[in-house]
Amino acid sequence: MPDAPKAIIFDLGKVMVDFDYAISARKIAAKSNSSAAQVQKLIDHSPLLFSYETGQIDKSEFYRQVCKLTGYRGRQEEFEPEFSDIFSEITPMIQLHAALRQAGVPTFILSNTNDMAVGHIRRTFPFFSNFDAYIFSFEQNVMKPHAGIYEIAERITGHRAGDIVYIDDRAENLAPAALRNWQVIHHQSPDQTISALKTLGFEE
């Protein structure tokens, strides 16, 4: 059996919190000249979002570009919650994380994300304050699956190779971690992830 993990790194979206850009697209479209489908294409895994989530542009420029490209008429103070209020907790994963913390396991977040999303999650979900550190693409100017962000994660966590367990729902984001000999879990359901952690030495 592999050694028990010394640190567990979680992806955020679709692992700890669910999200749906269609919620944001509908709100933005209601104040724009574009359909919800057109807005979603612009903000969901798009070149514009990539620029924002790798720190190439800030939230004000992101807002200006959305206004320019959709005809959005709301103020930035309206836009920010309309863009970021798209998340809901995945309760079994929150409970898992609480159990890990109770057991003294260091935990971290590694996420492709942006400051509007992080700000909303931090204000809304108490669990989010209880990690040892956070590696965000928009702060590090690099996004998974680029190798650079995994190097940064090792430096920030103080762990490497098999001492790290990494949980992510996207196989392409797990592959670079596996190349660094991290223990990886392809998250498909909370039950499956909890079971996989037990095989790696963690018992609730």
Side-chain angles (χ1 to χ4, degrees):
M1 180 183 291
D3 292 339
K6 293 185 172 64
I8 301 181
I9 304 179
F10 291 85
D11 180 29
L12 182 57
K14 302 293 184 181
V15 174
M16 304 303 293
V17 293
D18 203 359
F19 65 89
D20 183 0
Y21 275 109
I23 297 168
S24 175
R26 288 192 295 269
K27 294 175 183 176
I28 294 168
K31 298 177 183 176
S32 79
N33 302 326
S34 301
S35 68
Q38 289 169 325
V39 172
Q40 185 165 351
K41 186 175 180 181
L42 178 66
I43 65 172
D44 185 358
H45 297 94
S46 64
L48 179 61
L49 187 67
F50 178 86
S51 294
Y52 179 33
E53 293 197 336
T54 52
Q56 298 174 51
I57 61 174
D58 63 13
K59 65 181 180 180
S60 295
E61 180 59 23
F62 181 75
Y63 161 73
R64 283 192 290 270
Q65 288 296 319
V66 171
C67 290
K68 176 182 174 183
L69 295 168
T70 69
Y72 179 77
R73 295 177 291 276
R75 300 185 307 277
Q76 186 169 343
E77 312 87 79
E78 299 170 68
F79 174 79
E80 291 189 17
E82 290 173 350
F83 174 73
S84 62
D85 187 5
I86 62 172
F87 298 97
S88 58
E89 286 184 343
I90 300 175
T91 301
M93 294 301 293
I94 307 308
Q95 294 169 340
L96 167 65
H97 179 250
L100 287 165
R101 296 303 277 169
Q102 180 110 17
V105 178
T107 61
F108 302 86
I109 289 284
L110 172 58
S111 179
N112 292 343
T113 190
N114 60 78
D115 56 343
M116 283 191 277
V118 167
H120 174 79
I121 292 168
R122 189 167 277 139
R123 290 187 300 271
T124 307
F125 303 118
F127 84 88
F128 194 61
S129 65
N130 195 24
F131 291 83
D132 289 279
Y134 306 81
I135 303 97
F136 297 136
S137 61
F138 75 95
E139 292 182 337
Q140 304 299 335
N141 306 117
V142 63
M143 181 178 279
K144 298 179 290 184
H146 190 284
I149 201 164
Y150 302 86
E151 295 172 14
I152 291 165
E154 290 179 346
R155 187 168 69 246
I156 289 174
T157 65
H159 296 285
R160 57 180 300 177
D163 288 343
I164 297 172
V165 171
Y166 179 47
I167 302 167
D168 198 302
D169 66 303
R170 299 178 71 95
E172 65 268 28
N173 292 339
L174 291 168
L179 286 174
R180 305 183 77 82
N181 294 315
W182 295 11
Q183 301 184 62
V184 299
I185 296 173
H186 187 192
H187 178 80
Q188 296 169 299
S189 73
D191 286 346
Q192 168 262 335
T193 292
I194 291 165
S195 177
L197 274 175
K198 287 181 178 178
T199 69
L200 295 176
F202 171 73
E203 294 289 341
E204 291 181 286

